[in-house]
Amino acid sequence: MMVTCPRCGFQQPKDKYCAQCGVDMESFKPQAQPWHKTFFKNPVLHVAVFVAIIGAGGFYIYKNKQANQSDVASTSRPSVRVNSSNNLPPPPPPAPETNLEVAGSMNEVPAAAFAAANSGDADVSKELAAARGLSAEATATPDESKKATTTKNVSGPHLTVYYAEVNRQALSRLVEASRSSGQFIAFNDYSAGIVPGLEKRMQIAGIKILHKEERPVESGKTLQWTYGIKNRSTPGVEIGLTTFFELSDIDGNNLRGNLEIQRTWREPSASGGFEIQRKSFPAIFEIGGETGFLMAGVMPAQSNLENDDELTALDVYKILRSSQFRAGESEFVIFVEYDSK
């Protein structure tokens, strides 16, 4: 019968002592190996490490692919964001005996541009517009601002801006469509968002177009137009809405730009009376194809003016005569579409 020495591994016929190393084979107990040697020799560990390496590599490849897809999607899909009010330019100087409040602003549009729109001197307005890089043709003087019923038919790349009264049910549908696109923001007093298939959605019941404005867009030029009237109690100040649009980029059928609605309005004051206040509603968006942009919540339900009839004679402000609007059952909404042709 052959036995193996537990110390040196020598095989020999059964005996008490090893013929090679002389150890007592019956009483010899080998020393236990250090735990780390036993651990690293375990084949299960080898398999686990291999699986972990393969899994980590696969996860890295997956995350990298997802990040690339996200980058592509972010540059191709319509988007909207509202400017933060933390980086506001200084407000324009207030008119005598008025209290002008600026709530937010579009950083790319100089605050002094609004002063040009409110100036009673058309030449000054044009000079300021030229100094600020505004399009002289698109900058509305106070006299031109009263012609709210005029719609410009333009060719080439242009914006189409609709001022509309939308009942709550129709507005809810538009907001739902905008939220589903992932590009809707509710910001303080107003909300804004991208709406897919806007042209078709504007055909639904509950949307009444008050006024349509078409403006050509050109890189490097800021569009500006105003609808308003002179306020009798504050000479030199024009009550109404001024629209600024600055083109950032055109990529094929997609347009990226900055939109700002500035409102000069007679509103309740903290002291309990009424005072002229100026507020701004800015947004940066990208639209193209069948997508469009909407902004809601920029129009108060009342003008609080002595000459209210003069304001409501303009198409944009006929909503102030609406009993639904005054009761909060409808909303003033601005729609923007882009046509590259």
Side-chain angles (χ1 to χ4, degrees):
M1 178 181 177
M2 301 295 289
V3 294
T4 302
C5 176
R7 181 180 180 184
C8 66
F10 179 72
Q11 288 189 338
Q12 66 181 38
K14 185 177 181 181
D15 194 357
K16 182 176 181 180
Y17 299 97
C18 175
Q20 178 169 291
C21 66
V23 71
D24 186 345
M25 295 187 292
E26 293 181 356
S27 61
F28 178 78
K29 293 182 179 179
Q31 278 188 329
Q33 290 186 346
W35 68 269
H36 59 274
K37 289 187 178 181
T38 305
F39 181 78
F40 286 112
K41 288 182 179 180
N42 191 337
V44 176
L45 175 65
H46 299 166
V47 174
V49 171
F50 177 76
V51 172
I53 294 174
I54 296 298
F59 180 75
Y60 173 79
I61 294 173
Y62 170 77
K63 293 297 290 183
N64 191 48
K65 183 178 180 181
Q66 288 293 103
N68 291 338
Q69 290 178 346
S70 177
D71 291 340
V72 172
S74 64
T75 58
S76 61
R77 71 180 181 181
S79 60
V80 59
R81 67 185 178 88
V82 177
N83 274 358
S84 169
S85 59
N86 295 329
N87 299 315
L88 302 181
E97 301 179 359
T98 63
N99 180 14
L100 300 183
E101 175 186 350
V102 177
S105 182
M106 184 174 67
N107 296 334
E108 291 77 6
V109 177
F114 190 84
N118 287 336
S119 171
D121 189 338
D123 292 334
V124 173
S125 295
K126 292 181 180 179
E127 290 176 5
L128 280 175
R132 300 295 183 179
L134 301 175
S135 169
E137 179 184 355
T139 305
T141 65
D143 290 337
E144 292 169 343
S145 68
K146 294 177 176 56
K147 301 176 183 178
T149 57
T150 301
T151 299
K152 296 185 177 181
N153 295 318
V154 298
S155 58
H158 65 277
L159 288 180
T160 302
V161 183
Y162 300 90
Y163 302 85
E165 179 181 3
V166 182
N167 66 33
R168 291 296 174 185
Q169 184 177 5
L171 182 59
S172 295
R173 294 178 184 175
L174 292 168
V175 169
E176 182 180 354
S178 183
R179 289 186 187 277
S180 67
S181 72
Q183 299 294 332
F184 179 82
I185 296 177
F187 187 78
N188 292 341
D189 297 335
Y190 72 107
S191 57
I194 298 297
V195 182
L198 177 60
E199 185 175 0
K200 293 181 181 179
R201 295 181 188 275
M202 287 177 59
Q203 306 303 319
I204 65 176
I207 299 180
K208 178 183 179 182
I209 303 299
L210 303 169
H211 181 70
K212 175 183 176 182
E213 184 77 27
E214 292 183 305
R215 294 281 176 168
V217 291
E218 185 177 348
S219 180
K221 290 188 177 180
T222 298
L223 302 179
Q224 174 189 343
W225 62 93
T226 300
Y227 300 118
I229 63 170
K230 295 295 183 181
N231 184 36
R232 293 175 180 173
S233 59
T234 53
V237 175
E238 192 171 14
I239 301 297
L241 301 178
T242 294
T243 302
F244 293 100
F245 178 80
E246 183 179 53
L247 175 65
S248 297
D249 182 42
I250 294 180
D251 182 11
N253 292 326
N254 294 326
L255 172 144
R256 286 180 288 274
N258 307 321
L259 176 73
E260 181 177 7
I261 305 298
Q262 287 190 347
R263 183 183 79 207
T264 305
W265 213 255
R266 190 167 184 261
E267 301 187 48
S269 65
S271 61
F274 291 93
E275 60 186 18
I276 302 299
Q277 299 181 25
R278 181 177 297 138
K279 295 185 178 181
S280 182
F281 307 91
I284 299 174
F285 64 88
E286 177 180 349
I287 56 176
E290 296 183 356
T291 63
F293 174 79
L294 72 79
M295 180 183 287
V298 303
M299 175 80 76
Q302 295 188 13
S303 69
N304 306 309
L305 296 173
E306 300 173 357
N307 51 335
D308 180 79
D309 290 343
E310 294 181 30
L311 186 66
T312 56
L314 304 180
D315 287 349
V316 174
Y317 306 109
K318 286 181 177 179
I319 190 173
L320 295 171
R321 299 176 180 174
S322 169
S323 58
Q324 278 190 314
F325 180 65
R326 291 197 300 269
E329 298 172 0
S330 64
E331 185 61 84
F332 180 77
V333 180
I334 299 173
F335 299 103
V336 181
E337 291 183 317
Y338 169 64
D339 191 343
S340 61
K341 300 178 181 179

